[in-house]
């Protein structure tokens, strides 16, 4: 096999400016009848974080990645203006900037549009049992312990508002008094169940006042009760965790959990999951939640947009990050230009050989300041440069308040003054400025530490990924796709060096490359010097990757050079309407909607492909191998196309 260098970039279809609208990014309603309440929409939008960047692989579009990492919030371009977004991306990265330069296949590339509709990118999680997770059952398990469905209607809107304010300590009341109209024991029981079930942390008691029955709601055990559901109300015979399948459209996992927790009136940290999934896609994954009944969860199906919850079971344990076996993808590339022969060659190569396991573009951020540059400054202990990279003004379009915040920082270096320009304080700029305000400019390390650890480490991991991409391209340039003495393979969790005595035991699919760190070995050929030289240029010593701040010491890791996708299948379909759905979703299957009927001929052709990938791999890199196309947002927008999100 010979490697192919990326010397030209295939162009995608040019769209007229009128085609580049926000309509493609708007929410789809799963059911007009269920989701007609405008207040529900506003509430959902109010709990979705307005800014995101630095997504991990698992958050980003392909749904795979370093499953233990959380998302990091940072300033993001204003997507409300396509021209602004395109202007911003003029200053973004290309694949060449992050070391992505090689291909493994020899077929001629062709163009196609990825994610013209977010429904063109469907991700199903693969569970720890190796089975693909589908949403195919909306029923609630029969449970004698469940309260009556009347709990959702027995309270008035005013009572619900007062109870919520009491639960969240938003008023000065020590309790809420509810008069029992049409008093009966059954009615009182339902009200007790409604308060305790819908407002975790509240207790109730019945009182007689002037011959009338009243139910008094009050706090059970202070503010901690909100995040610790009532133990005595949960049946001992039932597992403490309700596991369910979450189907979501155009929402990333953290946004979805924020919405669910808001509607359930609980804290997000009682949810657990195996990996995070992308926003601009339809994704299906397993979620677990502590001591919330399937009945309550199923009730959300009546009031939430772009979500469905189902396949409920009770289990003893939560889910853990990284437990998934991977993700299964259904991807539609619209308006392809390749011939049937080209498509056959491309997909056969993907099935039989695979693709280079590059870290995808989203690993390095979407703004004019690459995240690996921040990571490099941290490793160099160049704290002033780190702050400057995060806070300085940057070219391109951003939200107005971020521009003002950066300008204020550049002018005054006053964290309090810059912070006053930010209405949203949870972004990384806001967190860093809060730290600087609290600890001062002479305590930058401590100030930076106010940002959650996993989020800080993502900058460093971005730098590791940048080095790895460049070294892999160098490895393929030097030796192609054949195994050579000095390459590394894993034996269990330990890396060993290939030599003449064992080289016949391995193929290129066994070869791994190290991410730099103090606990890895390097190839015993030209690449060892290449690693050392690359880090030396960045004023880092590859032989001393321990940092005086323990969190930033890099142990390193090993990553497969090539990935061999499983369950690969494909078909070319014809269509006439640009917005016609080309994939049948889990919801459509539940509703009994028929499979899309494709014409034998049409105005456009689309490539519909399916494949499964292990964790920490990027579906965009598989698609890149098929199209022979630069997947960077900068390239997408420069071609005046629908950008990758």
């Amino acid at each position: 096999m010979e490697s192919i260098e990326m010397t030209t970039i295939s162009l995608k279809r040019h769209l007229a400016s009128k085609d580049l609208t926000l309509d493609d990014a708007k929410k789809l309603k799963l059911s007009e009848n269920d989701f007609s309440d405008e207040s529900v929409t506003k509430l959902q939008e109010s709990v979705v974080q307005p800014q995101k960047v630095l997504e991990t692989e698992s958050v980003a579009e392909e749904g795979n990645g370093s499953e233990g990492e959380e998302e990091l919030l940072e300033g993001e371009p204003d997507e409300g203006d396509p021209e602004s977004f395109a202007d911003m991306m003029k200053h973004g990265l290309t694949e060449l900037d992050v070391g992505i330069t090689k291909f493994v296949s020899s077929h001629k590339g062709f163009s196609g549009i990825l994610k013209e509709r977010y429904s063109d990118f469907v991700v199903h999680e693969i569970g720890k049992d190796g089975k693909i997770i589908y949403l195919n059952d909306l029923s609630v398990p029969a449970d004698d312990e469940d309260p009556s469905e009347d709990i959702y209607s027995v309270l008035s809107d005013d009572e619900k508002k007062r109870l919520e304010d009491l639960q969240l300590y938003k008023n000065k009341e020590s309790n809420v008094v509810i008069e029992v109209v049409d008093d009966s024991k059954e009615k009182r029981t339902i009200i007790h169940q409604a308060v305790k079930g819908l407002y975790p942390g509240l207790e109730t008691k019945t009182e007689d006042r002037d011959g009338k029955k009243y139910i008094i709601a009050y706090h059970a055990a202070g503010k901690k009760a909100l995040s610790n559901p009532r133990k005595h109300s949960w049946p001992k015979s039932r597992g403490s965790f309700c596991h369910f399948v979450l189907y979501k459209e155009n929402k990333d996992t953290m946004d979805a959990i924020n919405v669910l927790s808001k509607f359930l009136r609980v804290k997000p940290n009682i949810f657990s999951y195996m990996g995070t999934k992308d926003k601009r896609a339809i994704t299906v994954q397993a979620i677990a939640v502590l001591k919330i009944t399937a009945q309550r969860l199923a009730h959300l199906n009546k009031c939430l947009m772009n979500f469905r919850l189902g396949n409920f079971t009770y289990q003893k344990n939560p889910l853990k990050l990284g437990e998934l076996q991977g993700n299964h993808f259904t991807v539609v590339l619209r308006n392809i230009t390749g011939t049937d022969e080209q498509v056959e060659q491309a997909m056969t190569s993907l099935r039989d050989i695979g693709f280079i396991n590059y870290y995808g573009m989203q690993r390095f951020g979407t703004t004019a300041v690459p995240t690996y540059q921040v990571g490099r400054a941290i490793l160099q202990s160049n704290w002033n440069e780190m702050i400057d990279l995060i806070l300085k003004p940057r070219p391109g379009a951003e939200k107005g308040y971020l521009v003002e915040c950066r300008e204020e920082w550049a002018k005054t270096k006053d964290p309090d003054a810059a912070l006053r320009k930010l209405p949203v304080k949870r972004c990384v700029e806001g967190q860093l400025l809060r730290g600087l305000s609290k600890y001062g400019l002479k305590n930058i390390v401590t100030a930076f530490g106010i940002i959650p650890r996993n989020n800080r480490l993502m900058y460093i991991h971005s730098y590791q990924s940048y080095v790895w991409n460049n070294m892999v391209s160098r490895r393929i340039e030097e030796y192609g796709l054949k195994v050579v003495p000095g390459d590394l393979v894993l034996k269990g969790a330990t890396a060993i060096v290939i030599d003449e005595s064992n080289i016949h035991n391995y193929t290129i699919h066994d070869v791994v490359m190290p991410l730099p760190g103090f606990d890895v070995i390097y190839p015993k050929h030209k690449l060892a010097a290449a690693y050392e030289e690359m880090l030396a240029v960045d004023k880092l010593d590859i032989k001393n990757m321990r940092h005086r701040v323990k969190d930033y010491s890099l142990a390193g890791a090993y990553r497969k050079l090539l990935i061999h996708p499983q369950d690969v299948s494909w078909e070319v379909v014809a269509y006439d309407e640009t917005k016609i759905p080309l994939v049948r979703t889990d919801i459509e299957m539940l509703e009994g909607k028929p499979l899309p009927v494709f014409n034998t001929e049409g105005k456009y052709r689309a490539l519909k492909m399916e494949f499964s990938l292990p964790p920490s791999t990027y579906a965009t890199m598989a698609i890149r191998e098929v199209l022979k196309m630069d997947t960077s947002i900068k390239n997408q927008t420069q071609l005046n196309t629908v950008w990758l999100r």
Side-chain angles (χ1 to χ4, degrees), residues 101-116:
T101 63
K102 302 293 184 181
F103 296 100
V104 301
S105 57
S106 58
H107 73 273
K108 183 180 178 181
F110 54 92
S111 69
I113 300 175
L114 174 61
K115 291 195 177 185
E116 183 169 28

Side-chain angles (χ1 to χ4, degrees), residues 70-90:
E70 299 290 343
E71 67 178 320
L72 178 62
L73 302 178
E74 191 184 60
E76 186 179 67
D78 188 351
E79 294 180 34
D81 183 351
E83 291 184 6
S84 294
F85 188 82
D87 179 57
M88 177 67 175
M89 289 303 104
K90 291 177 184 177

